[in-house]
Amino acid sequence: MAEQYMEASTQTETSIQTAIWECLQEVKDPEIPAISMVEMGMIGNVRNEDGVVTIDVLPTFVGCPALQIIKNNIAEKVKTVNGVREVRVNFVFEPAWSSDRISDEGREKLKQFGIAAPPRNHHFCGKWEVKCPYCGSPYTKMENLFGPTACRSILYCNECKNPFEAMKPV
Amino acid sequence: MANIRQFENAVEAKKDQEYLEALNELLFQLADDDFILAYRGSEWLGLAPHIEEDVAFSSMSQDTMGHAVMFYGMLEQLGAGKADDLSQLRSATDFRNAVLVERKNGTGHYMEEPHYDWAYAIVRWFFYGLFKQVRLESLTHSSYLPLVQVSKKILTEHRYHLYHLQVWMNQLANSTAEARKRLSIAIEKVWADVGGVFLLGPKASEIVGFGLLEGEDLLTQRWIERAKKAFDDYKISWIGKPDVSEWNGRNGQHSAELAEAVATLSEVYRLDPTAGW
């Protein structure tokens, strides 16, 4: 009996976890609505204890003013999952978010949104070569290391003559 | 560091009164330094030399303010009070920032006749930034785990600030004779205060003894090495060891400029501290 019960509860647990992650896929970055929290690599551990769900969120930048909005958006969405009574969102720095955590889908969506994705395994002492998200040309120049949000820079493509943004490697 | 006790979180730190007091003292220094400098940075909004710089400088100020928020948040977890109250409701004499970061940007007021000094802005941020880097690197070995984690993260952002400030230092140093003259005046002005940034205040020996941060002499030495290299890079002759201002901010002694800054930045919050934000 106990074994059967365990199995059933594990199954429920798995389906709740799946539903939560599907839900998180729906929560978009407030400053880049094309990309989700999951694709950005901002979701850490998700724990469910008897309907009380704790979600670890990894901030991209410490002073990101969107954090409170992100927190509320996650709580609102995940509350709708069947079997979830309460949602707790924690901001954690271990592991720290790094631009390497952005998924392949996320990188493609950033590009479609006009933002060059940060290179993987970037060494800060090395050169940061940025390809234009529109035409793919490496013939670009940095206009401003700082852009509309903390995590982005402003560049210009000498090839297709478009201004564009790039996400900083961190 | 082998026999130094590590503290995993606020709950553990709160059980050791002496450790807690040293940790609080250090966190106020970290929070107040970044908070007040970020406030001074925000006063440049709309006044920077060109539009790209306006974006860059306010972005750096926003990041820096964000770092302060993290440190005030850690104080809140340690029971020091609400983060918003700590930043807005304390009187100037409770602040632990170094005097360097509280100095006004120049004469005038940001609303009227703002005769602000851009060379001073760059030089102050750059040499404070070099120290912030040294201090953060040391904090990545701190006995307080949350400080280790936050410092590692802040370092990844801070390197962009330093990179940007280096570009400016280079441009000012290699520009016209007037730019170089303004640069050297700004350096002298910063040198009169910057020594105060290295001080660890009345609980210095506890801060070091508990393994929270390395000592003043060691940090100063590392800063001097980097500052000397910068002087070499920009072909400026070394002007010697920096001074400490007549007031020691780590002991709560400040210029009248801080009281004015605190009154301005907290004006709205003080109107109704219970309002939701």
Side-chain angles (χ1 to χ4, degrees):
Chain A
M1 274 301 277
E3 218 166 79
Q4 265 179 351
Y5 173 77
M6 281 282 285
E7 211 164 89
S9 109
T10 312
Q11 262 176 15
T12 320
E13 176 55 26
T14 313
S15 68
I16 288 184
Q17 278 276 348
T18 310
I20 292 171
W21 280 93
E22 276 170 10
C23 216
L24 289 168
Q25 179 60 34
E26 297 298 306
V27 184
K28 306 295 180 190
D29 184 323
E31 284 169 333
I32 316 169
I35 185 168
S36 82
M37 295 286 101
V38 179
E39 291 158 344
M40 276 293 282
M42 289 175 70
I43 306 296
N45 268 332
V46 175
R47 295 177 297 281
N48 172 29
E49 280 165 50
D50 198 21
V52 178
V53 175
T54 309
I55 299 170
D56 287 345
V57 176
L58 287 50
T60 54
F61 271 62
V62 171
C64 178
L67 291 181
Q68 201 54 44
I69 300 171
I70 288 171
K71 188 176 185 170
N72 294 344
N73 290 355
I74 288 176
E76 284 300 307
K77 273 273 188 230
V78 175
K79 249 186 242 164
T80 63
V81 172
N82 228 343
V84 173
R85 287 186 295 125
E86 195 186 325
V87 184
R88 292 177 188 163
V89 177
N90 285 335
F91 291 115
V92 298
F93 294 96
E94 183 60 45
W97 184 84
S98 120
S99 42
D100 286 346
R101 291 181 60 100
I102 304 174
S103 70
D104 290 339
E105 296 82 2
R107 283 163 197 274
E108 192 49 42
K109 285 182 182 173
L110 280 176
K111 215 168 118 183
Q112 284 167 13
F113 197 67
I115 299 175
R120 278 211 163 102
N121 302 314
H122 179 73
H123 293 287
F124 199 78
C125 40
K127 234 175 68 186
W128 175 23
E129 188 186 82
V130 188
K131 285 186 180 151
C132 171
Y134 299 112
C135 72
S137 170
Y139 183 35
T140 60
K141 69 171 182 208
M142 176 69 68
E143 291 277 11
N144 196 349
L145 192 54
F146 295 89
T149 67
C151 55
R152 292 187 258 172
S153 300
I154 302 173
L155 293 91
Y156 182 76
C157 178
N158 291 313
E159 187 75 39
C160 70
K161 316 285 182 211
N162 273 307
F164 67 93
E165 290 171 17
M167 194 169 276
K168 290 183 184 117
V170 297
Chain B
M1 298 285 280
N3 47 8
I4 286 196
R5 190 181 154 196
Q6 309 289 307
F7 289 76
E8 297 280 319
N9 51 43
V11 178
E12 270 188 35
K14 280 161 87 172
K15 287 180 191 157
D16 186 329
Q17 191 58 29
E18 277 182 53
Y19 184 84
L20 179 66
E21 281 172 20
L23 176 57
N24 273 351
E25 195 67 33
L26 175 64
L27 284 171
F28 273 118
Q29 294 173 16
L30 301 172
D32 293 344
D33 272 355
D34 275 351
F35 182 53
I36 299 299
L37 187 66
Y39 169 71
R40 287 300 182 208
S42 74
E43 284 187 311
W44 271 100
L45 187 62
L47 301 171
H50 50 74
I51 185 114
E52 285 83 4
E53 189 50 37
D54 218 31
V55 173
F57 213 64
S58 40
S59 195
M60 291 200 306
S61 300
Q62 187 188 51
D63 280 348
T64 306
M65 191 75 80
H67 303 163
V69 170
M70 283 301 126
F71 296 128
Y72 286 127
M74 288 165 84
L75 281 161
E76 180 171 323
Q77 286 177 344
L78 290 164
K82 253 176 66 188
D84 282 345
D85 292 352
L86 295 177
S87 57
Q88 317 262 339
L89 297 183
R90 281 180 303 149
S91 71
T93 50
D94 291 332
F95 275 74
R96 292 289 181 263
N97 61 279
V99 169
L100 175 73
V101 300
E102 74 200 34
R103 296 289 191 195
K104 286 166 78 166
N105 293 315
T107 58
H109 183 262
Y110 71 94
M111 294 288 281
E112 276 165 62
E113 304 287 325
H115 298 297
Y116 284 1
D117 183 344
W118 184 246
Y120 180 66
I122 292 300
V123 172
R124 167 162 66 172
W125 274 75
F126 177 64
F127 286 105
Y128 171 76
L130 281 187
F131 182 72
K132 182 164 164 174
Q133 177 90 5
V134 166
R135 187 166 59 185
L136 286 169
E137 283 167 0
S138 179
L139 286 170
T140 63
H141 307 289
S142 175
S143 59
Y144 189 53
L145 193 63
L147 254 181
V148 173
Q149 295 169 350
V150 164
S151 300
K152 281 183 184 164
K153 181 69 185 150
I154 293 178
L155 271 170
T156 65
E157 302 177 13
H158 185 61
R159 54 164 76 118
Y160 284 102
H161 297 193
L162 273 183
Y163 177 76
H164 184 71
L165 294 162
Q166 280 160 358
V167 169
W168 265 107
M169 287 293 292
N170 197 35
Q171 284 179 348
L172 291 175
N174 292 295
S175 176
T176 60
E178 193 193 344
R180 270 190 83 86
K181 191 178 155 206
R182 288 193 188 198
L183 187 64
S184 67
I185 293 171
I187 290 172
E188 274 174 35
K189 201 173 161 195
V190 165
W191 244 242
D193 288 324
V194 76
V197 178
F198 316 137
L199 302 177
L200 294 178
K203 295 223 173 278
S205 60
E206 288 88 343
I207 288 171
V208 177
F210 282 122
L212 284 161
L213 180 67
E214 288 164 296
E216 289 166 3
D217 292 345
L218 205 52
L219 299 180
T220 309
Q221 195 47 46
R222 282 182 203 150
W223 178 87
I224 285 179
E225 278 165 25
R226 291 180 201 201
K228 274 187 174 161
K229 184 177 177 307
F231 275 71
D232 276 354
D233 289 349
Y234 309 129
K235 298 183 180 58
I236 305 166
S237 32
W238 178 245
I239 65 165
K241 214 180 164 195
D243 290 326
V244 178
S245 343
E246 58 181 299
W247 304 286
N248 180 355
R250 303 292 187 222
N251 292 343
Q253 301 161 352
H254 296 282
S255 65
E257 294 161 66
L258 179 68
E260 203 186 315
V262 171
T264 305
L265 67 88
S266 63
E267 196 179 343
V268 175
Y269 190 75
R270 281 173 200 268
L271 280 178
D272 182 5
T274 59
W277 292 88

